[in-house]
Amino acid sequence: MDRNSNRNIEKGTAGKKRGGFTGRLGFVLAAAGSAVGLGNLWRFPYLAAKYGGGIFLLVYIVLALTFGSVLMTAEIALGRRTGQSAISAFSSIRPKWSFLGILCAVVPIIILPYYSVIGGWVCEYFFTFAAGNGAAAAADGFFESFIASPWKPLLFFALFVSVTFLVVLFGVEKGVEKSSRILMPALVILTIGVTVYSLTLPGTWEGVKYYLLPDFSRFSAKTVLAALGQLFYSMSLAMGIMITFGSYMKKDSSISSSVRQIELFDTGIALLAGLMIIPAAFAFSGGSPETLGQGPGLMFVALPKVFQSFGSVTGGILGGLFFALVIFAALTSAISLMETVVSILMDKFGLSRRRAAVIVYIGTLLLGIPSSLGFGALSGIRLFGMTILDFFDFLSNSVLMPVVAILTCVFLGYVAGCDTVLEEVEWTGRRRKENFFRVMIRYVCPVCIALILVSSVLSALGVLSL
Ligand code: PHE
């Protein structure tokens, strides 16, 4: 393939036109739209609370600056070099490696259904606030009884998936991207405002200390695994999404500065979300470890109480606005997940966009139902001690994504050669960075990720207690 050809408009494998990003800003915004979502606002804070606060934060930042930037650079560069989406990028270099493309495709198929279940929870909170019932949402037990009820979570889940489907079906992602230029900054500003306010509430300082000061006695292999899985999830890595994004990127845009900006944005919002939620959870629970370890409900339990403390009118408006913006952030991520699966079906099986989208829509609805019911009707079912939703989350983030990441490193480090991507990144002449990249891809990333993966799987199976 002529590497210097203009990839702005390109033929995909099924002969469909590939649109390109008009410039680096467009690329960064779209990639950030995929990266910033529930992972930052919902998942990061509850993991940080659960895995020791400051120590989790420290491990996460170190991993983001090393593993995160190396893997993201590698994926984007691989995509731009080959001009292909994940499913064919690997095989276009080495046909035998087509299995890795398929493995990449499995990850979004697992994530999308349960991601949409959480998206549905956010919708419920939005409607509750919009209807002026913020006080009910802030009451103890609201979250638990909502997720345990049979119909409501299912309906909101279906609503969330349907909106995602409509956007993908009509191909109006561009419109969504445009609105994200306004709505994402609005979310950031509102989050900063709520954070500042929540830090003035009595009893939050203990939480701030817990969140920001690392306590090394809380360090464990589990902390590292949780942080690593979160890193992949939050940055949309290890599932081929960034490869696909890279394939749309123009040759004269800088990969390394794009990576820096996406990382900064994504990590910044996650850290901020933690600061908004964890100290508030501390203040309202008296800092009891049970509340902090309660998992997926943390954001939903802590935030309504913060909004409530504004008084019912202001709190109601702010809460409604906030959850609306969270829905938007979640939608941009869900769209990128669904779009990935749809384009794989189109490329692989030559399906029309419409048919592929309908298949993914129905599949997502069916797969999401057990995750949603796992907190109510099906709460008796535990998979390795986890609820159904937690199990899917574990399967994608703690098992499949690490496997994909290791294989990607092996592919680039030993099969295709690091030069495949290094030539694509513009550090030419910067030996130190190149050497760092090679050492990371060939040795550090695969070995460390493999160690973490093995220990995590053993511990989930109950063979090892970490
Ligand atoms: N990165 C997104 C988030 O933080 C989730 C996501 C994962 C989106 C994988 C696309 C692909 O919410």
mmCIF file of all heavy atoms in Angstrom, residues 34-40 111 115 233-236 239 241 266 333 336-337 401, ligand 1:
data_model
loop_
_atom_site.group_PDB
_atom_site.id
_atom_site.type_symbol
_atom_site.label_atom_id
_atom_site.label_comp_id
_atom_site.label_asym_id
_atom_site.label_seq_id
_atom_site.Cartn_x
_atom_site.Cartn_y
_atom_site.Cartn_z
ATOM 1 N N SER A 34 -15.216 9.496 22.459
ATOM 2 C CA SER A 34 -15.298 8.066 22.740
ATOM 3 C C SER A 34 -14.686 7.760 24.095
ATOM 4 O O SER A 34 -15.203 6.958 24.874
ATOM 5 C CB SER A 34 -14.539 7.286 21.662
ATOM 6 O OG SER A 34 -14.280 5.985 22.099
ATOM 7 N N ALA A 35 -13.573 8.413 24.398
ATOM 8 C CA ALA A 35 -12.854 8.089 25.633
ATOM 9 C C ALA A 35 -13.602 8.580 26.876
ATOM 10 O O ALA A 35 -13.700 7.872 27.875
ATOM 11 C CB ALA A 35 -11.449 8.692 25.589
ATOM 12 N N VAL A 36 -14.125 9.814 26.805
ATOM 13 C CA VAL A 36 -14.759 10.368 27.999
ATOM 14 C C VAL A 36 -16.207 9.906 28.074
ATOM 15 O O VAL A 36 -16.997 10.148 27.177
ATOM 16 C CB VAL A 36 -14.715 11.906 27.973
ATOM 17 C CG1 VAL A 36 -15.483 12.474 29.160
ATOM 18 C CG2 VAL A 36 -13.283 12.381 28.002
ATOM 19 N N GLY A 37 -16.520 9.203 29.131
ATOM 20 C CA GLY A 37 -17.890 8.715 29.280
ATOM 21 C C GLY A 37 -18.089 8.191 30.686
ATOM 22 O O GLY A 37 -17.480 8.703 31.647
ATOM 23 N N LEU A 38 -18.897 7.168 30.784
ATOM 24 C CA LEU A 38 -19.185 6.622 32.107
ATOM 25 C C LEU A 38 -17.928 6.083 32.782
ATOM 26 O O LEU A 38 -17.857 6.017 34.001
ATOM 27 C CB LEU A 38 -20.215 5.501 31.976
ATOM 28 C CG LEU A 38 -21.590 5.981 31.498
ATOM 29 C CD1 LEU A 38 -22.499 4.804 31.223
ATOM 30 C CD2 LEU A 38 -22.201 6.891 32.553
ATOM 31 N N GLY A 39 -16.944 5.698 31.962
ATOM 32 C CA GLY A 39 -15.688 5.202 32.526
ATOM 33 C C GLY A 39 -15.079 6.241 33.455
ATOM 34 O O GLY A 39 -14.575 5.922 34.535
ATOM 35 N N ASN A 40 -15.125 7.500 33.034
ATOM 36 C CA ASN A 40 -14.527 8.558 33.838
ATOM 37 C C ASN A 40 -15.415 8.957 35.008
ATOM 38 O O ASN A 40 -14.944 9.189 36.119
ATOM 39 C CB ASN A 40 -14.312 9.817 32.991
ATOM 40 C CG ASN A 40 -13.646 9.501 31.683
ATOM 41 O OD1 ASN A 40 -14.153 8.727 30.879
ATOM 42 N ND2 ASN A 40 -12.498 10.074 31.470
ATOM 43 N N ILE A 111 -18.997 -5.122 25.960
ATOM 44 C CA ILE A 111 -19.160 -3.894 26.762
ATOM 45 C C ILE A 111 -20.485 -3.181 26.476
ATOM 46 O O ILE A 111 -21.183 -2.752 27.399
ATOM 47 C CB ILE A 111 -17.988 -2.915 26.521
ATOM 48 C CG1 ILE A 111 -16.688 -3.523 27.047
ATOM 49 C CG2 ILE A 111 -18.254 -1.580 27.197
ATOM 50 C CD1 ILE A 111 -15.502 -2.601 26.950
ATOM 51 N N TYR A 115 -22.824 -1.437 29.320
ATOM 52 C CA TYR A 115 -22.603 0.016 29.330
ATOM 53 C C TYR A 115 -23.952 0.727 29.208
ATOM 54 O O TYR A 115 -24.234 1.717 29.879
ATOM 55 C CB TYR A 115 -21.721 0.382 28.139
ATOM 56 C CG TYR A 115 -21.101 1.759 28.206
ATOM 57 C CD1 TYR A 115 -19.904 1.964 28.870
ATOM 58 C CD2 TYR A 115 -21.698 2.858 27.604
ATOM 59 C CE1 TYR A 115 -19.318 3.206 28.934
ATOM 60 C CE2 TYR A 115 -21.121 4.117 27.660
ATOM 61 C CZ TYR A 115 -19.930 4.280 28.332
ATOM 62 O OH TYR A 115 -19.354 5.516 28.404
ATOM 63 N N TYR A 233 -10.159 0.707 29.629
ATOM 64 C CA TYR A 233 -11.573 1.020 29.460
ATOM 65 C C TYR A 233 -11.754 2.504 29.191
ATOM 66 O O TYR A 233 -12.412 2.923 28.245
ATOM 67 C CB TYR A 233 -12.282 0.619 30.741
ATOM 68 C CG TYR A 233 -13.771 0.727 30.718
ATOM 69 C CD1 TYR A 233 -14.546 -0.317 30.225
ATOM 70 C CD2 TYR A 233 -14.415 1.842 31.236
ATOM 71 C CE1 TYR A 233 -15.922 -0.237 30.243
ATOM 72 C CE2 TYR A 233 -15.784 1.924 31.248
ATOM 73 C CZ TYR A 233 -16.541 0.883 30.760
ATOM 74 O OH TYR A 233 -17.899 0.964 30.775
ATOM 75 N N SER A 234 -11.136 3.303 30.065
ATOM 76 C CA SER A 234 -11.371 4.733 30.003
ATOM 77 C C SER A 234 -10.811 5.337 28.722
ATOM 78 O O SER A 234 -11.401 6.244 28.138
ATOM 79 C CB SER A 234 -10.742 5.394 31.230
ATOM 80 O OG SER A 234 -11.036 6.755 31.232
ATOM 81 N N MET A 235 -9.666 4.825 28.276
ATOM 82 C CA MET A 235 -9.078 5.417 27.075
ATOM 83 C C MET A 235 -9.535 4.702 25.816
ATOM 84 O O MET A 235 -8.971 4.923 24.744
ATOM 85 C CB MET A 235 -7.563 5.377 27.182
ATOM 86 C CG MET A 235 -7.081 6.268 28.288
ATOM 87 S SD MET A 235 -5.361 6.532 28.157
ATOM 88 C CE MET A 235 -5.102 7.526 29.609
ATOM 89 N N SER A 236 -10.509 3.826 25.942
ATOM 90 C CA SER A 236 -11.001 3.049 24.794
ATOM 91 C C SER A 236 -9.856 2.311 24.098
ATOM 92 O O SER A 236 -9.767 2.302 22.870
ATOM 93 C CB SER A 236 -11.721 3.946 23.773
ATOM 94 O OG SER A 236 -12.742 4.679 24.381
ATOM 95 N N MET A 239 -9.193 -2.624 22.140
ATOM 96 C CA MET A 239 -10.366 -3.219 21.509
ATOM 97 C C MET A 239 -10.492 -2.720 20.068
ATOM 98 O O MET A 239 -11.523 -2.859 19.426
ATOM 99 C CB MET A 239 -11.624 -2.887 22.269
ATOM 100 C CG MET A 239 -11.918 -1.424 22.265
ATOM 101 S SD MET A 239 -13.373 -1.098 23.200
ATOM 102 C CE MET A 239 -12.626 -0.928 24.782
ATOM 103 N N ILE A 241 -10.671 0.270 18.874
ATOM 104 C CA ILE A 241 -11.336 1.529 18.539
ATOM 105 C C ILE A 241 -10.334 2.592 18.083
ATOM 106 O O ILE A 241 -10.540 3.283 17.098
ATOM 107 C CB ILE A 241 -12.173 2.033 19.738
ATOM 108 C CG1 ILE A 241 -13.404 1.147 19.873
ATOM 109 C CG2 ILE A 241 -12.556 3.482 19.565
ATOM 110 C CD1 ILE A 241 -14.473 1.685 20.752
ATOM 111 N N ASP A 266 -8.904 12.972 29.110
ATOM 112 C CA ASP A 266 -9.563 11.805 29.686
ATOM 113 C C ASP A 266 -9.193 11.638 31.162
ATOM 114 O O ASP A 266 -10.056 11.472 32.024
ATOM 115 C CB ASP A 266 -9.172 10.560 28.889
ATOM 116 C CG ASP A 266 -9.951 9.346 29.331
ATOM 117 O OD1 ASP A 266 -11.161 9.312 29.062
ATOM 118 O OD2 ASP A 266 -9.368 8.445 29.967
ATOM 119 N N SER A 333 -19.864 7.801 23.853
ATOM 120 C CA SER A 333 -19.062 6.582 23.988
ATOM 121 C C SER A 333 -19.820 5.377 23.447
ATOM 122 O O SER A 333 -19.260 4.539 22.733
ATOM 123 C CB SER A 333 -18.701 6.328 25.450
ATOM 124 O OG SER A 333 -17.949 7.395 25.954
ATOM 125 N N SER A 336 -19.699 5.222 19.760
ATOM 126 C CA SER A 336 -18.448 4.712 19.182
ATOM 127 C C SER A 336 -18.359 3.198 19.349
ATOM 128 O O SER A 336 -17.807 2.505 18.501
ATOM 129 C CB SER A 336 -17.226 5.424 19.774
ATOM 130 O OG SER A 336 -16.907 4.933 21.039
ATOM 131 N N LEU A 337 -18.922 2.681 20.432
ATOM 132 C CA LEU A 337 -18.940 1.221 20.612
ATOM 133 C C LEU A 337 -19.824 0.559 19.551
ATOM 134 O O LEU A 337 -19.433 -0.394 18.890
ATOM 135 C CB LEU A 337 -19.486 0.859 21.997
ATOM 136 C CG LEU A 337 -18.546 0.999 23.186
ATOM 137 C CD1 LEU A 337 -19.325 0.997 24.481
ATOM 138 C CD2 LEU A 337 -17.526 -0.122 23.200
ATOM 139 N N MET A 401 -9.343 -7.462 27.529
ATOM 140 C CA MET A 401 -8.529 -6.305 27.134
ATOM 141 C C MET A 401 -7.049 -6.525 27.426
ATOM 142 O O MET A 401 -6.202 -6.239 26.583
ATOM 143 C CB MET A 401 -9.057 -5.026 27.758
ATOM 144 C CG MET A 401 -10.358 -4.607 27.090
ATOM 145 S SD MET A 401 -11.263 -3.500 28.117
ATOM 146 C CE MET A 401 -11.206 -2.025 27.236
HETATM 147 N N1 PHE B 1 -13.998 4.994 27.235
HETATM 148 C C1 PHE B 1 -15.386 5.031 27.483
HETATM 149 C C2 PHE B 1 -15.665 5.613 28.842
HETATM 150 O O1 PHE B 1 -14.779 6.009 29.544
HETATM 151 C C3 PHE B 1 -16.028 3.691 27.424
HETATM 152 C C4 PHE B 1 -15.725 3.038 26.169
HETATM 153 C C5 PHE B 1 -15.032 1.900 26.212
HETATM 154 C C6 PHE B 1 -16.103 3.601 24.970
HETATM 155 C C7 PHE B 1 -14.701 1.307 25.068
HETATM 156 C C8 PHE B 1 -15.768 3.013 23.827
HETATM 157 C C9 PHE B 1 -15.066 1.857 23.870
HETATM 158 O O2 PHE B 1 -16.782 5.680 29.246
#
